[in-house]
Amino acid sequence: MPKLPVPPLPSAAGRKALRALSYVPLLDPHLYQPSAQRPVRSKMRELRRDTQVAPHSHPWAQMAISMGGVIRLSLDHATYIVPPSRAIWVPAGLPHAVTMVETAKLYTLYFLPARAGAGAQAAWMDQPAWQQCRVLQASELLRALVRELSTDSDADAPLAPEALEREHHLSALVCDEMRRAEVMRLGIVLPRDKRLQHLCEAVLDDPTRHAGLEQWALDTGASLRTVARLFRSELGCTFTQWRQQVVLAHAVALAAQHLPIAHIAAELGYTPSAFSAMVRRSVGMTAAAFLGQHQLQSSGR
């Protein structure tokens, strides 16, 4: 199993000194293995902030969603910041690790593919769009359905026929809600070049430390021109475009603390108007919509 990059996402107060991660063993996924009888299985565990589920993979797809805190899912060369208002889809066989940015209940759903016996109703998982990680907007209905699914393992007593029938109905609704969900651009691509890795990890730790690429490049041992070229060749974008994705990820984590947009903008070195313009330019929606604050207002929080 490859060692995955999982740098922590510190809080605003703790960005200067990184917190140490504690590692927790993986709950045996084979005790929650989906089958033709139970094509969608769910497990739940409550994990404290700064803990990481050991890097792993499994032969079926999964969807992870937290109740109450931000999580971070890391691949070999990408990382995703996922607040409670979103869920993340991971295709089968892809090594990944989950880090808890905040204490939360972590639900993991496993999905049996059509070719393994789930039937035509699971054919959507074979579509190209579902063959890569994607962050989904999690509706209130999807979150409620996830909470209702049984989290018993195969070591527990089998479900009664009535409970099994109910699970089938809930599972079908979960799949339907996921297919309808809006896809959010929250992934941060990470480079393979060692010099650029060092720079990118520093930006992930604190994107506001320097204003421009010239200052960031000083610690890499490479020239400004070389670093700019590496961003284009390794990541397919400019440094400014990549850093904006990091800023958006930090904004998501801050928004999960129910901070107002003006506060989030200030933490990230923006005026409220400049931050709102950057968000709209990057993701095509208002800052309030992107950060889920319209949901908070509608729920009366």
Side-chain angles (χ1 to χ4, degrees):
M1 182 68 61
K3 184 177 182 354
L4 302 179
V6 283
L9 184 68
S11 64
R15 282 200 291 259
K16 298 303 180 185
L18 295 181
R19 303 188 300 260
L21 293 177
S22 59
Y23 295 86
V24 296
L26 182 68
L27 290 180
D28 187 353
H30 291 283
L31 291 177
Y32 301 86
Q33 182 171 347
S35 63
Q37 185 182 32
R38 302 181 67 184
V40 180
R41 297 291 301 274
S42 176
K43 68 179 183 181
M44 185 278 289
R45 62 195 306 192
E46 187 165 0
L47 298 171
R48 299 185 62 80
R49 75 185 269 185
D50 298 332
T51 59
Q52 182 190 109
V53 180
H56 63 283
S57 65
H58 26 69
W60 46 82
Q62 79 168 46
M63 185 266 282
I65 184 171
S66 78
M67 303 294 171
V70 176
I71 64 175
R72 183 175 194 158
L73 187 135
S74 297
L75 311 177
D76 190 18
H77 289 290
T79 189
Y80 296 81
I81 309 302
V82 189
S85 59
R86 275 94 189 213
I88 185 161
W89 171 264
V90 184
L94 189 63
H96 58 279
V98 177
T99 304
M100 307 302 295
V101 178
E102 300 170 307
T103 298
K105 291 181 179 179
L106 176 64
Y107 285 81
T108 303
L109 276 60
Y110 296 137
F111 296 79
L112 187 71
R115 60 184 178 278
Q121 68 270 21
W124 59 274
M125 284 185 276
D126 292 328
Q127 297 171 3
W130 296 92
Q131 301 306 304
Q132 56 189 347
C133 278
R134 50 191 353 212
V135 178
L136 307 173
Q137 183 72 36
S139 67
E140 288 298 325
L141 176 56
L142 177 60
R143 292 167 55 78
L145 292 167
V146 168
R147 286 192 292 262
E148 289 297 318
L149 281 172
S150 170
T151 55
D152 291 346
S153 76
D154 289 344
D156 299 311
L159 292 184
E162 312 84 59
L164 190 60
E165 182 179 6
R166 183 171 186 268
E167 183 181 75
H168 276 292
H169 293 311
L170 292 172
S171 299
L173 285 172
V174 165
C175 292
D176 189 57
E177 279 297 290
M178 288 175 56
R179 292 167 62 189
R180 293 170 177 265
E182 182 179 3
V183 178
M184 312 299 295
R185 292 189 288 171
L186 288 179
I188 302 169
V189 180
L190 299 175
R192 298 179 184 274
D193 182 272
K194 295 295 184 183
R195 295 166 295 180
L196 207 57
Q197 284 179 12
H198 177 78
L199 186 154
C200 288
E201 287 172 3
V203 178
L204 280 165
D205 293 342
D206 183 4
T208 65
R209 189 190 312 169
H210 299 304
L213 180 58
E214 185 173 5
Q215 293 92 343
W216 287 106
L218 290 176
D219 295 333
T220 66
S223 68
L224 175 61
R225 174 179 290 184
T226 297
V227 173
R229 176 180 56 78
L230 285 171
F231 265 98
R232 290 191 295 271
S233 62
E234 292 252 338
L235 302 177
C237 62
T238 66
F239 167 76
T240 298
Q241 292 168 332
W242 185 86
R243 180 183 171 276
Q244 285 179 352
Q245 294 302 308
V246 177
V247 168
L248 293 174
H250 278 264
V252 165
L254 292 169
Q257 302 173 29
H258 309 317
L259 299 175
I261 289 177
H263 187 127
I264 294 170
E267 283 286 335
L268 297 172
Y270 287 80
T271 64
S273 59
F275 177 74
S276 296
M278 185 273 291
V279 173
R280 182 177 288 279
R281 184 171 61 251
S282 299
V283 298
M285 62 178 66
T286 66
F290 175 71
L291 298 175
Q293 297 211 351
H294 61 301
Q295 296 177 350
L296 298 178
Q297 293 166 0
S298 64
S299 63
R301 294 186 192 176

